[in-house]
Amino acid sequence: MREKTIDYVLRATWQAVSRMYNEEATKYGASMALGFALLSIDKEDGTPSTYLAPRMGMEATSLTRTLKTMEEKGLIERRKNPDDGRGVLIHLTKLGKEKRELSKSTVLKFNETIRQHVTEEQLRHFMDVANIINELIAEKQIFNEE
């Protein structure tokens, strides 16, 4: 039965992807979360720290730990937001930009490999189904209070 439920397939697939990215990131002393954070920070203008958690789908406390690790590794620096003195912008350091490019090439390699093994039509259907699932969840149409 478990192979026939949609949530099982989603969870098992995401766990496999996550494990794969973490194994690859470990080769470079990083993690999937760190790589994803690098890709979520604007490489030229920086990104307000308050935008990162929602952009990445992370809890603020998890993001705080990730940013602390990134700062300790010399990948990011925090700067005052010139447009809002109360805010902080997260900027990539030179090393952070190099690691960002590495993360980007890893993600592109994954996408390229998948595209070599599925047709455009299969990929389009997969994306359509994923978008429908996300919309149903966002609109609270699965477990509504009616």
Side-chain angles (χ1 to χ4, degrees):
M1 180 66 188
R2 66 182 180 180
E3 288 84 21
K4 295 182 181 183
T5 64
I6 296 164
D7 64 320
Y8 175 83
V9 173
L10 289 170
R11 188 174 53 253
T13 302
W14 176 246
Q15 286 174 345
V17 170
S18 178
R19 190 171 40 254
M20 174 200 67
Y21 276 137
N22 273 316
E23 286 173 7
E24 189 64 20
T26 300
K27 296 175 186 175
Y28 305 99
S31 67
M32 184 185 74
L34 196 142
F36 192 34
L38 288 168
L39 293 170
S40 299
I41 299 169
D42 184 292
K43 66 180 181 180
E44 302 305 325
D45 300 323
T47 300
S49 56
T50 53
Y51 288 13
L52 282 175
R55 181 182 283 183
M56 296 175 59
M58 290 177 80
E59 295 294 324
T61 52
S62 297
L63 179 62
T64 300
R65 283 191 301 272
T66 300
L67 292 177
K68 184 174 187 270
T69 299
M70 293 173 75
E71 201 166 23
E72 289 168 355
K73 290 180 177 273
L75 301 171
I76 61 165
E77 58 186 16
R78 299 168 198 252
R79 298 183 197 160
K80 282 192 174 203
N81 187 337
D83 299 328
D84 177 2
R86 300 167 298 164
V88 173
L89 291 176
I90 305 298
H91 283 270
L92 296 172
T93 63
K94 182 179 181 207
L95 178 61
K97 288 178 182 180
E98 290 170 11
K99 297 293 185 182
R100 183 184 192 281
E101 288 306 309
L102 182 60
S103 295
K104 183 178 174 182
S105 67
T106 301
V107 170
L108 292 175
K109 172 69 173 161
F110 171 77
N111 279 268
E112 175 188 314
T113 302
I114 298 303
R115 287 180 183 278
Q116 290 172 359
H117 290 85
V118 300
T119 66
E120 283 299 317
E121 182 180 12
Q122 288 173 315
L123 189 57
R124 190 174 57 252
H125 288 308
F126 171 77
M127 296 294 196
D128 289 345
V129 171
N131 286 332
I132 291 167
I133 291 170
N134 281 317
E135 287 171 17
L136 290 170
I137 293 168
E139 295 169 5
K140 301 193 183 307
Q141 292 186 16
I142 296 174
F143 299 115
N144 56 21
E145 298 294 320
E146 294 178 26

